[in-house]
Amino acid sequence: METLQIYYLFWVFIFGLTIGSFLNVVILRGFSGESIVLPPSKCPHCLHKLAPWDNIPVLSFLILGGKCRYCHEKISIQYPLVELFTAVSFTFIFYKYGFGINSFFLCIAAALCIVMAVCDILEKEIFDLHAYLLGGLGVIYNIFNIAGVNHTKIHFFFSGHEITIHQSFIYSVLGLIFGVIFMEAAARIPKLFIGKRAFGEGDSYIAGALGAFFGISNLIVILILSFIIQGLIVLPVFLWKLFKGREYKLFTSMILFILLALFIAVGNYFGGFRSDVFYYFALALLICIGYYCCRNIFSAVKSSQNLTYLPFGPALILGAFIILLTGLAA
């Protein structure tokens, strides 16, 4: 890496910290209904107006020891985490995709994704406006083929005039439509069995917006990644809650299901099953245990037991950031 590039990336990082501080304002004032411009920043506990030196991203948090200078209440760790994540994201985007209009659009998309993810984590809801902005930005991004990925053009005639459309724009529209339809179907189908949506409507907006920005091909990858990520996060939390609630039957059956599924997968991969009869017996046992687990989970949901719910939006957005990291967004 050249010295000049390091110098530029340093200032991108500083700029990212500043934008991250602004994103915290957008997130918190979105829920409070206040303007993101006025009044000036204040402590959420004592409402004391913050001095400029109390508002330096990350640094002020460290100097103050994570506490307000005036009332000594703890400052949420959200502030420095959002600032750092935004700064690192911006720096990586400019390093990966270069200093150009492409990186500018990707940074705006990353900022909107960060806002939606944090809102979903904090309050289990997002503001539709943020998803609309990301979706609209994605369509513009692909109409003019700013990314420069797909230079294939589609030509057709309308009223005697030739019209040319970048194929990336078609993928963008298809991604938007597919994202909304897929997430709505995934949310509504369980309703036939348990009487409740599996996901909130906000997740459909997020998926549609990501589809508009990254295109239908990348969206399919994002969806697969998001379901894996959500499973890895939800399953341990769910099992822990079952254990604490002394639901030992369901807890034990789910542990057996996971272990048996891993045993079958590993054995099948390495050719460890010397007998087809043993393999099919293990598979039948897995299906029976899985049915028992599903029946008990559905029963708990129908009876409105307080089962663990984690928002799906952050998993979708993390999947999108993985696409960014792999360079598929350019």
Side-chain angles (χ1 to χ4, degrees):
M1 191 185 299
E2 297 180 358
T3 305
L4 187 60
Q5 186 182 19
I6 295 175
Y7 174 77
Y8 287 148
L9 289 176
F10 169 77
W11 286 109
V12 169
F13 183 84
I14 298 300
F15 176 71
L17 288 175
T18 306
I19 295 299
S21 180
F22 172 71
L23 296 184
N24 276 317
V25 174
V26 172
I27 293 165
L28 297 175
R29 296 198 178 185
F31 289 116
S32 68
E34 294 179 277
S35 167
I36 60 175
V37 179
L38 294 172
S41 297
K42 60 183 180 297
C43 172
H45 301 290
C46 64
L47 303 181
H48 193 288
K49 180 181 175 182
L50 299 181
W53 48 86
D54 295 327
N55 238 351
I56 304 171
V58 179
L59 190 60
S60 291
F61 180 87
L62 296 175
I63 292 174
L64 294 172
K67 294 182 179 180
C68 173
R69 182 190 301 275
Y70 309 101
C71 67
H72 306 294
E73 287 287 337
K74 287 186 177 180
I75 302 172
S76 172
I77 193 66
Q78 170 198 325
Y79 292 95
L81 286 181
V82 169
E83 291 161 357
L84 276 174
F85 190 81
T86 305
V88 171
S89 298
F90 281 21
T91 304
F92 179 85
I93 287 171
F94 275 93
Y95 170 74
K96 185 76 175 179
Y97 301 100
F99 290 81
I101 189 68
N102 188 23
S103 294
F104 175 74
F105 269 79
L106 290 175
C107 282
I108 298 176
L112 287 169
C113 284
I114 291 169
V115 169
M116 288 190 292
V118 177
C119 285
D120 212 357
I121 292 170
L122 291 178
E123 300 291 339
K124 295 183 175 61
E125 66 174 296
I126 68 163
F127 295 98
D128 297 347
L129 175 62
H130 298 149
Y132 295 153
L133 288 173
L134 180 60
L137 183 74
V139 172
I140 295 172
Y141 182 75
N142 288 283
I143 280 180
F144 299 104
N145 198 29
I146 292 171
V149 181
N150 197 330
H151 291 285
T152 304
K153 298 179 181 179
I154 299 174
H155 303 271
F156 65 94
F157 289 88
F158 180 75
S159 299
H161 299 284
E162 183 180 13
I163 299 176
T164 302
I165 299 178
H166 285 287
Q167 191 170 329
S168 58
F169 169 66
I170 302 297
Y171 290 161
S172 173
V173 174
L174 290 176
L176 191 156
I177 296 171
F178 178 77
V180 174
I181 292 177
F182 178 86
M183 288 304 297
E184 278 299 298
R188 291 174 183 271
I189 289 176
K191 192 174 182 180
L192 300 175
F193 303 97
I194 61 178
K196 297 179 181 180
R197 289 176 60 100
F199 311 114
E201 292 182 1
D203 299 323
S204 301
Y205 294 140
I206 293 175
L210 293 176
F213 198 94
F214 293 102
I216 187 169
S217 300
N218 285 332
L219 176 64
I220 292 173
V221 178
I222 290 172
L223 289 171
I224 294 172
L225 289 171
S226 64
F227 278 101
I228 294 173
I229 292 167
Q230 188 76 353
L232 292 174
I233 295 173
V234 169
L235 190 58
V237 175
F238 183 66
L239 287 173
W240 174 245
K241 186 162 187 179
L242 287 177
F243 183 78
K244 285 185 65 178
R246 298 183 180 182
E247 299 284 345
Y248 296 128
K249 287 184 179 180
L250 183 54
F251 173 80
T252 304
S253 61
M254 289 193 69
I255 293 293
L256 287 174
F257 178 84
I258 295 168
L259 293 176
L260 185 57
L262 288 173
F263 174 74
I264 293 173
V266 172
N268 198 39
Y269 180 79
F270 290 103
F273 292 107
R274 297 180 181 179
S275 170
D276 289 340
V277 175
F278 180 72
Y279 171 74
Y280 287 117
F281 173 76
L283 195 60
L285 184 60
L286 180 70
I287 293 172
C288 291
I289 297 174
Y291 171 76
Y292 175 81
C293 292
C294 290
R295 190 185 68 179
N296 281 276
I297 292 171
F298 286 166
S299 176
V301 173
K302 282 184 177 181
S303 62
S304 299
Q305 290 185 18
N306 187 25
L307 295 178
T308 299
Y309 170 77
L310 293 176
F312 192 74
L316 278 169
I317 290 168
L318 185 54
F321 271 99
I322 293 174
I323 293 294
L324 277 175
L325 292 173
T326 54
L328 295 176

mmCIF file of all heavy atoms in Angstrom, residues 296-322:
data_model
loop_
_atom_site.group_PDB
_atom_site.id
_atom_site.type_symbol
_atom_site.label_atom_id
_atom_site.label_comp_id
_atom_site.label_asym_id
_atom_site.label_seq_id
_atom_site.Cartn_x
_atom_site.Cartn_y
_atom_site.Cartn_z
ATOM 1 N N ASN A 296 -43.510 -29.369 19.551
ATOM 2 C CA ASN A 296 -43.454 -28.697 20.850
ATOM 3 C C ASN A 296 -43.208 -27.199 20.712
ATOM 4 O O ASN A 296 -43.757 -26.401 21.476
ATOM 5 C CB ASN A 296 -42.362 -29.322 21.717
ATOM 6 C CG ASN A 296 -42.803 -30.631 22.351
ATOM 7 O OD1 ASN A 296 -43.447 -30.652 23.386
ATOM 8 N ND2 ASN A 296 -42.475 -31.727 21.688
ATOM 9 N N ILE A 297 -42.392 -26.809 19.735
ATOM 10 C CA ILE A 297 -42.129 -25.389 19.513
ATOM 11 C C ILE A 297 -43.393 -24.688 19.024
ATOM 12 O O ILE A 297 -43.764 -23.614 19.506
ATOM 13 C CB ILE A 297 -40.971 -25.196 18.507
ATOM 14 C CG1 ILE A 297 -39.654 -25.668 19.132
ATOM 15 C CG2 ILE A 297 -40.855 -23.736 18.096
ATOM 16 C CD1 ILE A 297 -38.502 -25.718 18.155
ATOM 17 N N PHE A 298 -44.091 -25.311 18.046
ATOM 18 C CA PHE A 298 -45.329 -24.733 17.537
ATOM 19 C C PHE A 298 -46.372 -24.625 18.646
ATOM 20 O O PHE A 298 -47.118 -23.654 18.733
ATOM 21 C CB PHE A 298 -45.884 -25.584 16.393
ATOM 22 C CG PHE A 298 -45.116 -25.453 15.115
ATOM 23 C CD1 PHE A 298 -45.308 -26.359 14.081
ATOM 24 C CD2 PHE A 298 -44.193 -24.434 14.930
ATOM 25 C CE1 PHE A 298 -44.609 -26.249 12.900
ATOM 26 C CE2 PHE A 298 -43.475 -24.314 13.761
ATOM 27 C CZ PHE A 298 -43.692 -25.222 12.746
ATOM 28 N N SER A 299 -46.420 -25.637 19.515
ATOM 29 C CA SER A 299 -47.375 -25.625 20.625
ATOM 30 C C SER A 299 -47.077 -24.473 21.575
ATOM 31 O O SER A 299 -47.997 -23.796 22.059
ATOM 32 C CB SER A 299 -47.307 -26.959 21.363
ATOM 33 O OG SER A 299 -48.146 -26.944 22.487
ATOM 34 N N ALA A 300 -45.783 -24.240 21.817
ATOM 35 C CA ALA A 300 -45.392 -23.148 22.714
ATOM 36 C C ALA A 300 -45.746 -21.796 22.119
ATOM 37 O O ALA A 300 -46.203 -20.889 22.821
ATOM 38 C CB ALA A 300 -43.899 -23.225 23.005
ATOM 39 N N VAL A 301 -45.534 -21.648 20.804
ATOM 40 C CA VAL A 301 -45.853 -20.386 20.135
ATOM 41 C C VAL A 301 -47.357 -20.134 20.151
ATOM 42 O O VAL A 301 -47.829 -19.022 20.407
ATOM 43 C CB VAL A 301 -45.322 -20.388 18.684
ATOM 44 C CG1 VAL A 301 -45.797 -19.147 17.939
ATOM 45 C CG2 VAL A 301 -43.796 -20.450 18.674
ATOM 46 N N LYS A 302 -48.150 -21.178 19.871
ATOM 47 C CA LYS A 302 -49.606 -21.030 19.866
ATOM 48 C C LYS A 302 -50.146 -20.631 21.237
ATOM 49 O O LYS A 302 -51.110 -19.885 21.344
ATOM 50 C CB LYS A 302 -50.256 -22.340 19.422
ATOM 51 C CG LYS A 302 -50.220 -22.566 17.923
ATOM 52 C CD LYS A 302 -50.966 -23.846 17.562
ATOM 53 C CE LYS A 302 -51.006 -24.045 16.060
ATOM 54 N NZ LYS A 302 -51.739 -25.277 15.681
ATOM 55 N N SER A 303 -49.502 -21.152 22.276
ATOM 56 C CA SER A 303 -49.959 -20.833 23.628
ATOM 57 C C SER A 303 -49.395 -19.516 24.135
ATOM 58 O O SER A 303 -49.528 -19.179 25.306
ATOM 59 C CB SER A 303 -49.557 -21.958 24.595
ATOM 60 O OG SER A 303 -48.138 -22.088 24.654
ATOM 61 N N SER A 304 -48.723 -18.783 23.214
ATOM 62 C CA SER A 304 -48.187 -17.447 23.501
ATOM 63 C C SER A 304 -47.178 -17.446 24.629
ATOM 64 O O SER A 304 -47.100 -16.497 25.406
ATOM 65 C CB SER A 304 -49.334 -16.473 23.838
ATOM 66 O OG SER A 304 -50.210 -16.362 22.753
ATOM 67 N N GLN A 305 -46.414 -18.519 24.748
ATOM 68 C CA GLN A 305 -45.338 -18.514 25.721
ATOM 69 C C GLN A 305 -44.280 -17.519 25.303
ATOM 70 O O GLN A 305 -44.103 -17.232 24.126
ATOM 71 C CB GLN A 305 -44.731 -19.915 25.857
ATOM 72 C CG GLN A 305 -45.662 -20.912 26.528
ATOM 73 C CD GLN A 305 -44.967 -22.249 26.747
ATOM 74 O OE1 GLN A 305 -43.749 -22.346 26.706
ATOM 75 N NE2 GLN A 305 -45.767 -23.279 26.981
ATOM 76 N N ASN A 306 -43.565 -16.999 26.255
ATOM 77 C CA ASN A 306 -42.566 -15.953 26.010
ATOM 78 C C ASN A 306 -41.272 -16.547 25.459
ATOM 79 O O ASN A 306 -40.265 -16.635 26.147
ATOM 80 C CB ASN A 306 -42.275 -15.193 27.314
ATOM 81 C CG ASN A 306 -41.367 -14.002 27.066
ATOM 82 O OD1 ASN A 306 -41.322 -13.464 25.964
ATOM 83 N ND2 ASN A 306 -40.641 -13.602 28.094
ATOM 84 N N LEU A 307 -41.333 -16.986 24.190
ATOM 85 C CA LEU A 307 -40.153 -17.551 23.565
ATOM 86 C C LEU A 307 -39.226 -16.436 23.098
ATOM 87 O O LEU A 307 -39.649 -15.313 22.848
ATOM 88 C CB LEU A 307 -40.555 -18.429 22.368
ATOM 89 C CG LEU A 307 -41.374 -19.677 22.717
ATOM 90 C CD1 LEU A 307 -41.756 -20.419 21.445
ATOM 91 C CD2 LEU A 307 -40.596 -20.599 23.647
ATOM 92 N N THR A 308 -37.969 -16.780 22.959
ATOM 93 C CA THR A 308 -36.981 -15.789 22.558
ATOM 94 C C THR A 308 -37.227 -15.335 21.121
ATOM 95 O O THR A 308 -37.388 -16.150 20.221
ATOM 96 C CB THR A 308 -35.560 -16.388 22.661
ATOM 97 O OG1 THR A 308 -35.324 -16.745 24.005
ATOM 98 C CG2 THR A 308 -34.519 -15.385 22.216
ATOM 99 N N TYR A 309 -37.273 -14.023 20.910
ATOM 100 C CA TYR A 309 -37.398 -13.473 19.564
ATOM 101 C C TYR A 309 -36.228 -12.553 19.305
ATOM 102 O O TYR A 309 -35.936 -11.650 20.087
ATOM 103 C CB TYR A 309 -38.706 -12.696 19.405
ATOM 104 C CG TYR A 309 -38.735 -11.911 18.107
ATOM 105 C CD1 TYR A 309 -38.982 -12.542 16.904
ATOM 106 C CD2 TYR A 309 -38.468 -10.539 18.108
ATOM 107 C CE1 TYR A 309 -38.979 -11.833 15.714
ATOM 108 C CE2 TYR A 309 -38.466 -9.825 16.923
ATOM 109 C CZ TYR A 309 -38.726 -10.479 15.729
ATOM 110 O OH TYR A 309 -38.709 -9.779 14.559
ATOM 111 N N LEU A 310 -35.523 -12.824 18.222
ATOM 112 C CA LEU A 310 -34.436 -11.951 17.798
ATOM 113 C C LEU A 310 -34.758 -11.433 16.408
ATOM 114 O O LEU A 310 -35.157 -12.203 15.535
ATOM 115 C CB LEU A 310 -33.102 -12.723 17.782
ATOM 116 C CG LEU A 310 -32.572 -13.175 19.142
ATOM 117 C CD1 LEU A 310 -31.302 -13.996 18.960
ATOM 118 C CD2 LEU A 310 -32.301 -11.986 20.048
ATOM 119 N N PRO A 311 -34.608 -10.129 16.178
ATOM 120 C CA PRO A 311 -34.953 -9.562 14.860
ATOM 121 C C PRO A 311 -34.097 -10.169 13.756
ATOM 122 O O PRO A 311 -32.923 -10.505 13.965
ATOM 123 C CB PRO A 311 -34.667 -8.069 15.038
ATOM 124 C CG PRO A 311 -33.716 -7.994 16.186
ATOM 125 C CD PRO A 311 -34.077 -9.125 17.101
ATOM 126 N N PHE A 312 -34.699 -10.310 12.575
ATOM 127 C CA PHE A 312 -34.007 -10.940 11.441
ATOM 128 C C PHE A 312 -33.267 -9.911 10.592
ATOM 129 O O PHE A 312 -32.339 -10.264 9.853
ATOM 130 C CB PHE A 312 -35.030 -11.692 10.571
ATOM 131 C CG PHE A 312 -34.410 -12.595 9.558
ATOM 132 C CD1 PHE A 312 -33.833 -13.787 9.936
ATOM 133 C CD2 PHE A 312 -34.403 -12.246 8.212
ATOM 134 C CE1 PHE A 312 -33.258 -14.631 8.995
ATOM 135 C CE2 PHE A 312 -33.838 -13.079 7.270
ATOM 136 C CZ PHE A 312 -33.259 -14.275 7.664
ATOM 137 N N GLY A 313 -33.664 -8.639 10.703
ATOM 138 C CA GLY A 313 -33.051 -7.591 9.883
ATOM 139 C C GLY A 313 -31.538 -7.523 10.003
ATOM 140 O O GLY A 313 -30.833 -7.444 8.987
ATOM 141 N N PRO A 314 -30.967 -7.538 11.235
ATOM 142 C CA PRO A 314 -29.508 -7.483 11.367
ATOM 143 C C PRO A 314 -28.790 -8.625 10.651
ATOM 144 O O PRO A 314 -27.699 -8.435 10.114
ATOM 145 C CB PRO A 314 -29.297 -7.561 12.885
ATOM 146 C CG PRO A 314 -30.526 -6.956 13.453
ATOM 147 C CD PRO A 314 -31.635 -7.406 12.551
ATOM 148 N N ALA A 315 -29.401 -9.824 10.627
ATOM 149 C CA ALA A 315 -28.786 -10.953 9.911
ATOM 150 C C ALA A 315 -28.760 -10.687 8.405
ATOM 151 O O ALA A 315 -27.780 -10.986 7.726
ATOM 152 C CB ALA A 315 -29.547 -12.245 10.216
ATOM 153 N N LEU A 316 -29.845 -10.118 7.876
ATOM 154 C CA LEU A 316 -29.886 -9.732 6.464
ATOM 155 C C LEU A 316 -28.789 -8.724 6.141
ATOM 156 O O LEU A 316 -28.067 -8.847 5.142
ATOM 157 C CB LEU A 316 -31.255 -9.131 6.121
ATOM 158 C CG LEU A 316 -32.403 -10.081 5.813
ATOM 159 C CD1 LEU A 316 -33.714 -9.299 5.775
ATOM 160 C CD2 LEU A 316 -32.184 -10.803 4.499
ATOM 161 N N ILE A 317 -28.657 -7.731 7.006
ATOM 162 C CA ILE A 317 -27.687 -6.665 6.766
ATOM 163 C C ILE A 317 -26.262 -7.180 6.920
ATOM 164 O O ILE A 317 -25.366 -6.799 6.158
ATOM 165 C CB ILE A 317 -27.968 -5.481 7.713
ATOM 166 C CG1 ILE A 317 -29.282 -4.797 7.271
ATOM 167 C CG2 ILE A 317 -26.820 -4.478 7.719
ATOM 168 C CD1 ILE A 317 -29.828 -3.817 8.257
ATOM 169 N N LEU A 318 -26.031 -8.086 7.876
ATOM 170 C CA LEU A 318 -24.702 -8.685 8.015
ATOM 171 C C LEU A 318 -24.349 -9.491 6.772
ATOM 172 O O LEU A 318 -23.198 -9.478 6.317
ATOM 173 C CB LEU A 318 -24.660 -9.574 9.256
ATOM 174 C CG LEU A 318 -23.295 -10.190 9.608
ATOM 175 C CD1 LEU A 318 -22.218 -9.105 9.722
ATOM 176 C CD2 LEU A 318 -23.389 -10.986 10.897
ATOM 177 N N GLY A 319 -25.338 -10.181 6.215
ATOM 178 C CA GLY A 319 -25.112 -10.892 4.953
ATOM 179 C C GLY A 319 -24.721 -9.946 3.841
ATOM 180 O O GLY A 319 -23.848 -10.249 3.005
ATOM 181 N N ALA A 320 -25.356 -8.757 3.816
ATOM 182 C CA ALA A 320 -25.010 -7.748 2.804
ATOM 183 C C ALA A 320 -23.588 -7.241 2.999
ATOM 184 O O ALA A 320 -22.856 -7.017 2.018
ATOM 185 C CB ALA A 320 -26.003 -6.587 2.873
ATOM 186 N N PHE A 321 -23.167 -7.054 4.254
ATOM 187 C CA PHE A 321 -21.801 -6.608 4.511
ATOM 188 C C PHE A 321 -20.779 -7.673 4.095
ATOM 189 O O PHE A 321 -19.673 -7.338 3.677
ATOM 190 C CB PHE A 321 -21.619 -6.242 5.983
ATOM 191 C CG PHE A 321 -21.937 -4.812 6.282
ATOM 192 C CD1 PHE A 321 -23.163 -4.448 6.824
ATOM 193 C CD2 PHE A 321 -21.016 -3.812 6.008
ATOM 194 C CE1 PHE A 321 -23.466 -3.117 7.083
ATOM 195 C CE2 PHE A 321 -21.303 -2.481 6.269
ATOM 196 C CZ PHE A 321 -22.531 -2.133 6.803
ATOM 197 N N ILE A 322 -21.145 -8.940 4.203
ATOM 198 C CA ILE A 322 -20.253 -10.003 3.722
ATOM 199 C C ILE A 322 -20.078 -9.897 2.216
ATOM 200 O O ILE A 322 -18.976 -10.093 1.684
ATOM 201 C CB ILE A 322 -20.799 -11.385 4.117
ATOM 202 C CG1 ILE A 322 -20.736 -11.553 5.639
ATOM 203 C CG2 ILE A 322 -20.023 -12.513 3.434
ATOM 204 C CD1 ILE A 322 -21.378 -12.824 6.154
#
